[in-house]
Amino acid sequence: MVAAFTATILAAGSTTLLLAVASLIVATVLGMGAAFAKLSGNRLLRAIASAYTFVVRGIPDLVVMLLIYYSLPALLNQWLDAMGIDARIEFPPIVAGIATLGLIFGAYMTETFKTALQNIPKGQIEAAVAYGLTRRRMFVCIILPQLIRLALPGFTNNWLVLAKATALVSLIGLQDVMFRAKGAAEATGMPFTFYLIAAGFYLFVTVFSLILLALLARRFEIGLRELAP
């Protein structure tokens, strides 16, 4: 019986990993955009990006998730009713989870990318402009490589926290590792065993992520040294 429930829990690992990776992509895109907005010369963009990071980081993760999963569809449905449109909007748990985690960790990624961008020597940007490089070539050849190197420690930390935060999505019915572990614990009366299995899964993801990111960082540093004159 324990083996059968264990297999069921671990089989849900693909859902948890999909949720984590998709949320990371959303968070990275939002964080990068908001970081550039905070450093832009446009006052409106700076205000929007600052408000985004301030509000999102000031609200508990669970509250944001409940707002997106329950409150936002209800609000949209009220608007549809007011406009006389016969339709109903509901978000699947995985969509709500990706949106929530992407939104939350996008705010933390913003500060990570912003700090990395600020630490790129301005003289290099000025030299690129003097050489007549286009904005795209400047970003790809000068800004992006240094951004990755400088942001990688903070990016790694945010990813590890995000991976663990996926457990919250089980509260809205997503069939992930924690949801299956909770079901197995209730069915067998062995909560320690099955929650320990879930903890082992998250620990494995953490160790694998640290090894992979360390290898990527090492490879990136070697690549930069090879390109250096």
Side-chain angles (χ1 to χ4, degrees), residues 100-209:
T100 300
L101 295 177
L103 187 69
I104 292 170
F105 285 91
Y108 294 103
M109 289 291 189
T110 298
E111 300 305 319
T112 298
F113 292 140
K114 177 189 172 186
T115 302
L117 288 169
Q118 288 176 323
N119 284 314
I120 296 176
K122 293 182 179 180
Q124 296 183 11
I125 307 299
E126 294 170 354
V129 173
Y131 271 103
L133 295 183
T134 63
R135 287 181 176 272
R136 179 180 177 277
R137 190 168 180 80
M138 188 190 310
F139 177 78
V140 172
C141 298
I142 298 177
I143 297 177
L144 186 59
Q146 297 186 80
L147 174 63
I148 294 173
R149 178 177 61 85
L150 294 169
L152 192 58
F155 181 90
T156 300
N157 185 61
N158 287 330
W159 157 247
L160 295 179
V161 178
L162 186 157
K164 293 184 293 183
T166 56
L168 287 173
V169 187
S170 64
L171 297 176
I172 58 175
L174 181 66
Q175 296 276 339
D176 65 345
V177 168
M178 280 305 301
F179 187 92
R180 297 278 180 86
K182 181 175 181 293
E186 292 175 348
T188 61
M190 301 169 63
F192 180 80
T193 299
F194 293 110
Y195 286 132
L196 187 62
I197 291 171
F201 171 82
Y202 285 103
L203 183 60
F204 171 79
V205 171
T206 297
V207 173
F208 180 79
S209 297

